[in-house]
Amino acid sequence: MTLKEKAEALRQQKFDLCDEVDNRLKLADDLSDLNAFVRLRPDQARQKAEDVQSRIRAGKPAGPLAGTIIAIKDNINIRGEFSTCGSKILENFRSPYSAAVINKLETADAVIIGKTNQDEFAMGSSNENSYWGPVKNPHDKTRVSGGSSGGSAVAVATGIADVALGSDTGGSIRQPASFCGVVGLKPSYGRVSRYGLIAYASSLDQIGPFSSTVEDTAYLLSQIAGHDHYDSTSVNLPVPDYCSLLKEDVSDFTIGIPEEYFSEGLDTQIKDQIYSIIEQLRAAGASIKKIHFPMTDYGIATYYIIATAEASSNLARYDGVRYGLREGNDEDLIAMYGLTRSSGFGKEVQRRIILGTYVLSSGYYDAFYNKAQKVRRLIKNEIDEAFKMVDAIITPTTPTTAFGIGEKVDDPLTMYLSDVYTVTANLAGICGLNIPAGKDKNGLPFGMQLLGDTFQEAKILRVGNFIEKNCS
Amino acid sequence: MSVSKEEIEKIAQLARLNLKDNEINQIEGQINQILEYVKKLDELDTDHVEPLSHTLDLNNVFREDIVRESLPRDKALENAPLKSDKFFRVPKVIKK
């Protein structure tokens, strides 16, 4: 049942939402070894379910997400609820306000079942950097879920939640969606308000949905998108009814295939399957066009300079004064800062703060940070040129299927390189959708990525929906 | 361009992170490996390229100067590690 059908079924009282919530909580409990949730919200979820249901019984209207059970990444604030961001430094932090997307979900009558595990401050590609321990892949528990929104991907892959929200700074929605076999969308920068999302790299961060079908992602996006005066980077553009734009036809589309995304390093099973889907699109009438992205090779280097620079500045706020952990209260102020931050932040976060501080420091600013910003311009120009010729671009989402837990933890650079296909969308501000594409010989899922121009989510959702329903 | 142990120590101090000796050694190696990798950006000629800090064409975003409700003080103080009355308490800043 789609989210839309669920809302209708609930209105007709065809199922009991309170029972449904209990079933999901039971399932979450049975699957607790996957470590997908930092905290479940049994009381609040049941209360919301009862509230929605009693309104329906009384003949009163219910919102478009009535019947929807959603999981929320732990870096998105819910008023009165813990927001740990996967970090010891925020272990006891309860947000005094709700994110814009949470207010929208609550108004639309969604049931929020819990907060999901993530890499600390969304820094990671495997979910092994969480203070709460790694999230395990439901298809093989010895493997990673992907990150940084691993818990949200697993919550949807296991059916604990119908849909989930995550955040994507360099691939943190699309990569775990690929590893866990679900749909995940990074909307264009500015499409969804970031108000109440704990910042990692502000010029790259974006909130987006996870779901089992493209249609549900389209439906949820229509609910969470839109301008918000608390986030001045959210754009004031009308929000389309994305579901109504999902017509099952791609014959009027030109789809670009960038050669550089299919070169060395890509698992041949993934490559062959995506090529097979491209041929099916061609057979369905789409024009397939080879394109070139020579800048692809510079994406990771650009990303890790810009993201760490922004992170080192954003994370300066964790000083042990206004909220979060404090250590060394008996020392002087400067010593307290140091003790608090080195005790509260994990290794990867400290590494990125150091790298970010270095590339911003006088003497190195031009060589690294300014250089990366210039290359970011070149990357964006290349993408803008491509979208003058094509409606959507197809690439792999990840070079491999999920890797083993522990396999890459001691080698940050190798870990960073696993984001090679996803960082470009964030650097250029465009939208990117992962849809499941197949399974490898070990039964592990992998996805493919559809890239769309800025605010052209409708186009990639339409291609994704077509592939989901017509390709094999 | 590689970064020395002393530089890592200085950067850590600026970022208010206390690193142990073994952590400094480990981070030094990892940071140098990453810096070596990002040097590939030097292959590109960017002399006449404008830096891009933000993908949206936004300049100033104005709004009417109307007072709106904001976070009440007691709510803002709720998460403080230490507070007294209306204030955040911090360790002594001025030397005795």
Side-chain angles (χ1 to χ4, degrees):
Chain A
M1 232 191 309
T2 65
L3 300 184
K4 206 175 180 175
E5 288 163 354
K6 267 198 179 151
E8 194 44 45
L10 193 68
R11 272 183 211 111
Q12 295 175 12
Q13 301 185 44
K14 283 187 178 162
F15 73 98
D16 188 295
L17 187 55
C18 298
D19 288 351
E20 189 62 24
V21 167
D22 283 339
N23 292 341
R24 305 299 182 88
L25 288 166
K26 164 92 176 46
L27 182 61
D29 200 39
D30 292 344
L31 299 174
S32 60
D33 62 325
L34 296 174
N35 206 18
F37 284 84
V38 171
R39 183 169 281 97
L40 289 159
R41 310 169 78 232
D43 298 341
Q44 299 94 323
R46 285 192 190 110
Q47 198 187 334
K48 179 74 181 181
E50 268 167 36
D51 167 52
V52 175
Q53 208 145 266
S54 64
R55 263 187 285 135
I56 288 171
R57 283 203 198 101
K60 289 180 188 159
L65 293 175
T68 294
I69 296 173
I70 190 167
I72 305 292
K73 188 175 181 178
D74 207 23
N75 60 356
I76 299 173
N77 289 331
I78 303 176
R79 191 157 59 98
E81 185 69 73
F82 289 98
S83 268
T84 74
C85 219
S87 183
K88 181 184 172 188
I89 213 160
L90 287 176
E91 187 175 3
N92 297 310
F93 175 74
R94 277 180 194 258
S95 176
Y97 70 100
S98 281
V101 290
I102 297 298
N103 289 331
K104 283 175 182 255
L105 292 176
E106 285 179 342
T107 307
D109 280 335
V111 169
I112 301 174
I113 196 163
K115 302 290 299 283
T116 57
N117 201 347
Q118 60 165 94
D119 281 302
E120 184 177 3
F121 286 100
M123 297 180 190
S125 312
S126 68
N127 227 303
E128 293 167 287
N129 298 333
S130 170
Y131 177 58
W132 308 105
V135 177
K136 294 168 188 162
N137 193 304
H139 301 273
D140 176 350
K141 288 178 195 170
T142 67
R143 291 173 190 269
V144 302
S145 60
S148 66
S149 316
S152 288
V154 172
V156 172
T158 53
I160 296 169
D162 300 317
V163 283
L165 291 186
S167 66
D168 189 314
T169 305
S172 282
I173 289 174
R174 293 159 286 157
Q175 189 251 26
S178 177
F179 281 4
C180 295
V182 297
V183 176
L185 172 72
K186 184 205 93 72
S188 310
Y189 187 82
R191 184 71 285 191
V192 178
S193 169
R194 292 180 293 113
Y195 177 69
L197 168 70
I198 297 175
Y200 158 23
S202 308
S203 81
L204 305 163
D205 296 339
Q206 188 65 193
I207 294 174
F210 286 91
S211 67
S212 304
T213 63
V214 173
E215 190 179 335
D216 280 352
T217 278
Y219 191 71
L220 184 53
L221 180 63
S222 288
Q223 298 302 324
I224 61 169
H227 179 63
D228 167 29
H229 65 248
Y230 286 120
D231 174 6
S232 57
T233 64
S234 68
V235 294
N236 210 343
L237 286 175
V239 178
D241 173 4
Y242 289 107
C243 277
S244 71
L245 302 170
L246 293 176
K247 62 174 176 175
E248 255 178 82
D249 176 20
V250 288
S251 60
D252 56 334
F253 274 180
T254 302
I255 293 170
I257 313 296
E259 212 163 65
E260 292 80 2
Y261 280 69
F262 292 88
S263 59
E264 61 170 324
L266 175 61
D267 183 305
T268 54
Q269 295 172 87
I270 298 178
K271 183 174 171 177
D272 293 349
Q273 173 63 7
I274 295 177
Y275 273 137
S276 154
I277 291 173
I278 292 167
E279 282 318 307
Q280 295 173 58
L281 291 171
R282 194 198 302 272
S287 306
I288 305 296
K289 191 177 171 62
K290 257 195 193 165
I291 54 175
H292 288 283
F293 282 159
M295 294 298 296
T296 303
D297 203 25
Y298 302 98
I300 293 285
T302 308
Y303 173 80
Y304 276 94
I305 291 172
I306 290 173
T308 58
E310 292 186 17
S312 71
S313 165
N314 271 327
L315 271 60
R317 72 190 64 175
Y318 302 99
D319 57 4
V321 172
R322 291 147 301 156
Y323 43 78
L325 181 80
R326 179 185 294 185
E327 299 270 13
N329 197 51
D330 299 330
E331 311 284 329
D332 68 26
L333 190 67
I334 303 291
M336 184 278 279
Y337 290 151
L339 288 164
T340 297
R341 289 164 62 81
S342 33
S343 161
F345 290 135
K347 271 191 174 171
E348 180 61 25
V349 173
Q350 295 197 35
R351 188 153 51 228
R352 292 198 196 190
I353 290 174
I354 299 243
L355 183 59
T357 308
Y358 179 77
V359 299
L360 285 177
S361 61
S362 86
Y364 301 107
Y365 182 94
D366 276 330
F368 292 106
Y369 184 63
N370 204 35
K371 180 81 185 180
Q373 285 199 314
K374 288 178 167 192
V375 179
R376 186 179 186 182
R377 166 88 56 191
L378 296 176
I379 291 172
K380 177 148 176 60
N381 289 349
E382 189 171 275
I383 295 280
D384 288 348
E385 280 306 306
F387 281 115
K388 287 179 185 163
M389 301 179 293
V390 301
D391 298 288
I393 292 166
I394 289 182
T395 78
T397 306
T398 55
T400 63
T401 51
F403 45 87
I405 291 173
E407 205 176 291
K408 299 184 181 181
V409 261
D410 294 325
D411 187 355
L413 185 58
T414 308
M415 185 75 93
Y416 295 174
L417 292 172
S418 63
D419 299 338
V420 58
Y421 303 136
T422 49
V423 293
T424 302
N426 304 78
L427 290 168
I430 59 170
C431 53
L433 175 72
N434 173 76
I435 57 165
K439 285 188 174 178
D440 72 4
K441 58 182 189 305
N442 300 316
L444 293 169
F446 59 82
M448 60 193 281
Q449 178 175 238
L450 306 172
L451 296 173
D453 203 359
T454 315
F455 308 125
Q456 297 300 319
E457 280 80 359
K459 284 189 178 179
I460 54 172
L461 290 167
R462 193 170 125 198
V463 179
N465 182 58
F466 183 89
I467 295 170
E468 182 183 285
K469 293 191 168 140
N470 298 281
C471 299
S472 55
Chain B
M1 197 183 303
S2 76
V3 50
S4 65
K5 241 178 99 164
E6 289 68 34
E7 276 179 298
I8 295 281
E9 270 184 286
K10 183 166 169 258
I11 294 285
Q13 222 169 38
L14 290 171
R16 303 286 181 246
L17 293 169
N18 300 349
L19 298 183
K20 297 187 195 82
D21 272 351
N22 61 331
E23 291 172 330
I24 290 173
N25 287 332
Q26 198 191 20
I27 283 197
E28 184 207 343
Q30 289 166 335
I31 297 273
N32 275 319
Q33 195 194 8
I34 296 164
L35 292 177
E36 181 66 28
Y37 175 79
V38 304
K39 252 182 18 198
K40 67 156 61 202
L41 298 187
D42 293 341
E43 295 164 13
L44 298 165
D45 176 8
T46 53
D47 280 355
H48 304 289
V49 180
E50 271 295 299
L52 179 70
S53 59
H54 206 268
T55 55
L56 293 175
D57 220 3
L58 291 172
N59 286 309
N60 290 324
V61 179
F62 293 109
R63 62 169 172 81
E64 292 305 312
D65 187 15
I66 299 166
V67 178
R68 290 205 196 102
E69 207 181 316
S70 57
L71 198 64
R73 178 155 47 199
D74 58 324
K75 282 268 158 204
L77 282 164
E78 246 172 26
N79 280 289
L82 216 58
K83 61 191 163 194
S84 85
D85 187 24
K86 294 179 282 191
F87 304 103
F88 295 107
R89 276 193 71 150
V90 293
K92 222 177 190 57
V93 181
I94 302 160
K95 293 243 157 56
K96 280 175 219 164

